[in-house]
């Protein structure tokens, strides 16, 4: 995936040398891909079926770390820029304009899908089943990553999308996700018994029993999840302030241009009046001479 994306961005730069992909966006994708690799190809994946707390770290990487970094590169825009006009018109744009894509990427739908995945995965037989079945586990990871991409897409808002939210709506969008993360963590934290039989059957392989490990996982979700949502809220607020500054600067430039044009018209009017007065004075002198 990294090699494919590097070559795609290189083709974008060749096709649009005057508007190359910014370095910040370029490396954000690879940082997101690295987060996925840590979640699925490192020691985190090795112990995710042994310790719920490690499994929670994996989920946070797949839902709250990797997706916003991947979305930041504007992947849809880059694919459109790298594709041929024929591919854009016949394949990509019809898919992007399809009813299914419009519904799934709608901010309300994306927010609800993300919330439903988080609650449904932790409070359904799916979670315990994924600990026993490798295929179900992989499907669960794909579900987490996909729902994360859907959720962060409208918030980062660098790709074209119908119904783009303004900055106040984006702040509400991400800020309202924080309490549901907290409530989910609280529900896991104060559960009287272990929620997942799989971890109970393992005993205490690393000196921590299933219930204590479950409470540690809830604490990780609560603290790091809320921190990420707060950081995202402040990032949107900072973007809003920068946008207001740019808008104010543009408005000032328009006002200055209008004032300059008005001064030019006044100067032209005065010059015209001066010319007419001179012509009239010259005409009077000629009459007296005659």
């Amino acid at each position: 995936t990294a090699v494919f994306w590097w070559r795609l961005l290189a083709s974008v730069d060749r096709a649009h040398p005057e508007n190359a992909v910014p370095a910040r966006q370029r490396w954000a994708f690879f940082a997101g891909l690295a987060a996925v690799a840590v979640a699925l190809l490192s020691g985190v994946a090795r112990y995710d079926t042994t310790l719920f707390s490690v499994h929670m770290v994996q989920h946070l990487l797949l839902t709250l770390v990797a997706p916003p970094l991947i979305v930041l590169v504007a992947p849809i825009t880059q694919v459109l820029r790298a594709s041929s006009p024929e591919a854009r018109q016949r394949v990509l744009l019809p898919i992007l304009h399809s009813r299914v894509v419009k519904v799934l990427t709608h901010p309300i739908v994306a927010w609800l899908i993300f919330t439903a995945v988080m609650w449904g995965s932790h409070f359904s037989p799916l979670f315990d089943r994924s600990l026993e079945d490798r295929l179900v586990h992989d499907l669960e990871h794909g579900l987490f990553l996909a729902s994360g991409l859907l959720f962060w897409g409208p918030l980062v808002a660098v790709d074209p999308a119908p119904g783009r939210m303004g900055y106040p709506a984006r702040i509400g969008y991400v800020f309202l996700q924080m309490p549901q993360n907290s409530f989910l963590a609280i529900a896991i934290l104060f559960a009287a018994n272990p929620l997942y039989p799989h971890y109970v059957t393992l005993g205490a392989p690393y000196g921590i029993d299933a219930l204590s490990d479950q409470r540690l996982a809830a604490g990780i979700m609560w603290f790091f999840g809320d921190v990420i949502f707060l950081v995202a809220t402040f990032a949107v607020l900072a973007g809003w302030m920068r946008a207001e500054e740019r808008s104010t600067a543009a408005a000032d430039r328009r006002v200055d241009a209008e004032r300059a044009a008005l001064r030019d018209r006044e100067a032209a009017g005065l010059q015209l009046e001066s010319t007419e007065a001179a012509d009239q004075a010259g005409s009077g002198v000629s009459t007296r001479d005659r």
Side-chain angles (χ1 to χ4, degrees), residues 12-222:
V12 170
D13 290 343
R14 287 194 299 270
H16 307 277
E18 74 290 347
N19 189 20
V21 180
R24 178 175 64 93
Q25 289 187 337
R26 181 185 301 275
W27 292 108
F29 180 87
F30 295 105
L33 204 61
V36 174
V38 171
L40 302 181
L41 302 175
S42 71
V44 174
R46 181 179 179 86
Y47 296 102
D48 61 353
T49 58
T50 306
L51 293 171
F52 183 26
S53 53
V54 175
H55 205 161
M56 185 59 71
V57 172
Q58 187 179 59
H59 289 180
L60 293 179
L61 288 171
L62 292 175
T63 56
L64 303 184
V65 178
L69 291 171
I70 293 173
V71 170
L72 189 62
V73 77
I76 295 174
T77 299
Q78 306 309 338
V79 170
L80 289 173
R81 295 176 71 195
S83 60
S84 65
E86 183 179 5
R88 281 196 297 269
Q89 295 298 326
R90 293 190 176 184
V91 180
L92 297 176
L93 290 178
I95 293 175
L96 293 175
H97 294 159
S98 66
R99 185 177 298 274
V100 173
V101 172
K102 287 182 179 180
V103 170
L104 289 177
T105 56
H106 191 281
I108 295 177
V109 176
W111 195 96
L112 291 174
I113 288 175
F114 183 77
T115 304
V117 167
M118 296 301 293
W119 281 87
S121 62
H122 289 91
F123 286 96
S124 74
L126 174 65
F127 195 100
D128 204 64
R129 175 77 180 277
S130 70
L131 300 174
E132 304 285 347
D133 190 318
R134 186 76 249 177
L135 177 59
V136 176
H137 202 172
D138 291 340
L139 291 175
E140 181 193 51
H141 292 160
L143 187 63
F144 277 124
L145 184 60
S147 64
L149 292 171
L150 285 176
F151 171 77
W152 290 99
L155 181 66
V156 178
V158 290
D159 272 324
R164 181 186 293 271
M165 295 187 296
Y167 284 100
R170 287 189 223 174
I171 291 175
Y173 178 88
V174 66
F175 192 76
L176 289 175
Q177 190 61 229
M178 186 166 63
Q180 80 81 22
N181 175 79
S182 299
F183 293 152
L184 176 57
I186 290 172
I188 297 173
L189 179 64
F190 291 105
N193 300 300
L195 297 173
Y196 313 111
H198 170 86
Y199 291 120
V200 178
T201 61
L202 299 178
Y206 299 100
I208 180 171
D209 61 88
L211 187 58
S212 299
D213 183 41
Q214 180 173 289
R215 290 170 178 166
L216 176 59
I220 292 172
M221 171 185 274
W222 193 352

